């Protein structure tokens, strides 16, 4: 399967979104801190990123592993970090 590309911020948000809709996590009122994805050499499956050191995750390791497995199968980490599109001066080019 061909993976879609996401930048680090969007990949982090996607993992967080999926984690925080798991019934047990919602029911327990837990807020798991999701780390930024780290670029790695593509593994045997072709995935080029990993995540380590989730915060507030004790007892939810299996849920995290399940979500990571699914997201890693769908997405690769893009080298380009997109701008958010907001500018202090609309209509003016960004300085960089």
């Amino acid at each position: 399967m061909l993976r879609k590309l996401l930048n680090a911020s969007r990949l982090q948000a996607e993992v967080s979104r999926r984690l925080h809709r798991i019934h047990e996590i919602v029911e327990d009122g837990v807020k798991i801190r999701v780390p930024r994805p780290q670029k790695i050499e593509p593994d045997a499956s072709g995935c080029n990123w990993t995540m380590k050191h989730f915060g507030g995750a004790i007892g939810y390791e299996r849920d995290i592993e399940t979500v990571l497995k699914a997201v890693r199968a769908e997405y690769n980490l893009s080298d380009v970090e997109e701008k958010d599109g907001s500018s202090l001066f609309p209509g003016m080019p960004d300085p960089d």
Side-chain angles (χ1 to χ4, degrees), residues 27-75:
E27 192 172 84
D28 293 345
V30 176
K31 181 66 176 165
I32 296 173
R33 287 180 308 283
V34 177
R36 303 259 310 160
Q38 301 299 311
K39 189 121 180 166
I40 60 171
E41 288 296 318
D43 62 15
S45 74
C47 184
N48 71 346
W49 62 275
T50 189
M51 283 183 174
K52 297 179 183 177
H53 310 298
F54 286 76
I58 295 173
Y60 302 98
E61 295 86 354
R62 188 179 313 178
D63 294 317
I64 291 169
E65 192 58 40
T66 300
V67 167
L68 279 180
K69 184 176 180 181
V71 177
R72 285 175 48 94
E74 291 179 46
Y75 298 102

Side-chain angles (χ1 to χ4, degrees), residues 7-21:
N7 65 37
S9 297
R10 289 184 182 212
L11 202 48
Q12 183 180 27
E14 179 63 16
V15 171
S16 181
R17 183 185 69 78
R18 291 186 190 199
L19 277 176
H20 291 102
R21 68 177 204 204

